[in-house]
Amino acid sequence: MDANQRQFRNPFSMDAECTNCDALCEVREQVVHGYGDVGAEFLFVGESPSAGAERTGVPFTGDDAGQRVQRILGELGFSRSDPDADEPDLQNVYLTYLTRCRHPERGPTENEITTCEPFLNAEIRMINPHIIVPVGQAALEALAFDYTTRSRDSFDIDAEHATTIRGRGFELVPMKAPTRQTDADTEAFVTHVIEEVFDRDYRQTKGRRSR
């Protein structure tokens, strides 16, 4: 955890009462902003909060899918908590979403993703990670559009899962949505990060000093 950081939950004090999307304000329980180490080298980005994450207020927690992600973080040495923790003790990783509010009956619209984009852009700018993990197809398309030279429709999360994509200033390591992952998918992702990311100097992607 960054030495000057006071809390994991919404550490940048982003607007917890955001009213930019009327349709979401009417049905959400709470805004789920980012959570984790503001000095992280790894940033995980999902599409939108699940029902479990909306309950806890913490990305990738509160349900079976969240526990799968937390197990992955534990195997990578990023979490010092049990997978079912509602407020995991994280290091070197930050968790967030394209959109911060959950609609109980549908996924986010393109307009809602665009409206929420300044929150994500601010987190990326302030954290300045080395590795971004798009979790799911929507996150992969959004981040690939912003940070690679490939077209959005050239990316398929099934084909890109557990691979490394060189981006503009970052590397992307896509991961299937946890609700779609098999145990083999999870193992492939963990193995790729340990053997292909940790075992080389991924920091060369960016021209900055190590923390």
Side-chain angles (χ1 to χ4, degrees), residues 82-159:
D82 292 335
D84 60 354
D86 286 348
E87 295 194 24
D89 182 9
L90 303 181
Q91 58 183 353
N92 203 28
V93 68
Y94 191 89
L95 311 176
T96 194
Y97 293 118
L98 298 178
T99 57
R100 311 307 166 95
C101 298
R102 173 180 176 268
H103 195 289
E105 298 177 354
R106 61 167 175 79
T109 65
E110 288 190 16
N111 185 62
E112 287 164 353
I113 291 175
T114 299
T115 300
C116 222
E117 190 174 19
F119 289 132
L120 178 60
N121 288 343
E123 287 171 330
I124 291 174
R125 184 177 66 254
M126 290 185 284
I127 295 168
N128 194 24
H130 292 290
I131 305 293
I132 298 180
V133 178
V135 181
Q137 182 69 30
L140 174 59
E141 290 181 2
L143 293 165
F145 179 76
D146 288 336
Y147 296 113
T148 77
T149 57
R150 289 169 55 180
S151 63
R152 186 190 303 260
D153 59 6
S154 71
F155 288 93
D156 175 18
I157 193 63
D158 291 330

Side-chain angles (χ1 to χ4, degrees), residues 151-197:
S151 63
R152 186 190 303 260
D153 59 6
S154 71
F155 288 93
D156 175 18
I157 193 63
D158 291 330
E160 309 286 356
H161 174 80
T163 66
T164 298
I165 302 168
R166 181 61 62 92
R168 294 194 295 264
F170 307 97
E171 286 185 345
L172 305 180
V173 181
M175 185 172 80
K176 289 183 181 179
T179 54
R180 296 186 58 242
Q181 282 186 47
T182 64
D183 289 344
D185 291 329
T186 299
E187 182 179 358
F189 181 84
V190 171
T191 298
H192 177 76
V193 173
I194 291 174
E195 295 184 355
E196 303 297 332
V197 179

